Amino acid sequence: MTIPAGKYTYEGELADGVPSGKGSIRYGFKEGYSCTYTGTFLNGMKHGTGKLEVKGKGAFACIYEQRYTYDKKDGIFVIKYDHGNVYTQVFLDGKSQHVRKEVSSNNK
């Protein structure tokens, strides 16, 4: 089922008319980039693991590996940039735990 919802479109499983199960959100284009989140949902919220793909030409193109608990960031977020840098950050209940790691494409 596809649902246009303001600035994005949801496509995937529904329960009682809201995103629940596997699905994707396609966000609008901004400054030459498009974003698609694919993962699991519960009662209309991101819940479980997913990936956000940011496509476009430039420094911001990347893939986020994410985990949510009732729409709050929860666990280790990994951002893999197309240019090779990898950024890792830990979240608990939607808040950064000030644990970060960045590895540049030249391993420095």
Side-chain angles (χ1 to χ4, degrees):
M1 178 96 188
T2 301
I3 300 174
K7 296 181 180 182
Y8 64 88
T9 302
Y10 172 81
E11 186 172 321
E13 298 173 341
L14 300 174
D16 295 325
V18 297
S20 288
K22 295 179 182 178
S24 295
I25 295 175
R26 283 183 297 217
Y27 298 95
F29 291 91
K30 184 176 181 181
E31 300 174 17
Y33 292 94
S34 67
C35 298
T36 303
Y37 175 83
T38 303
T40 54
F41 296 82
L42 180 64
N43 297 325
M45 298 176 280
K46 293 177 188 170
H47 187 76
T49 58
K51 287 188 179 183
L52 176 72
E53 288 188 70
V54 180
K55 294 183 180 180
K57 294 183 180 180
F60 298 111
C62 63
I63 294 177
Y64 289 72
E65 296 174 357
Q66 308 175 7
R67 179 171 169 71
Y68 286 88
T69 301
Y70 301 106
D71 229 16
K72 292 182 180 181
K73 295 177 181 180
D74 186 33
I76 299 171
F77 274 52
V78 179
I79 306 169
K80 298 176 181 177
Y81 289 95
D82 285 1
H83 53 68
N85 290 5
V86 177
Y87 180 79
T88 306
Q89 187 167 5
V90 177
F91 287 86
L92 180 63
D93 199 28
K95 297 177 184 168
S96 171
Q97 297 303 296
H98 308 292
V99 178
R100 299 181 183 111
K101 178 180 179 183
E102 187 167 355
V103 178
S104 68
S105 58
N106 60 10
N107 294 321
K108 292 185 179 178

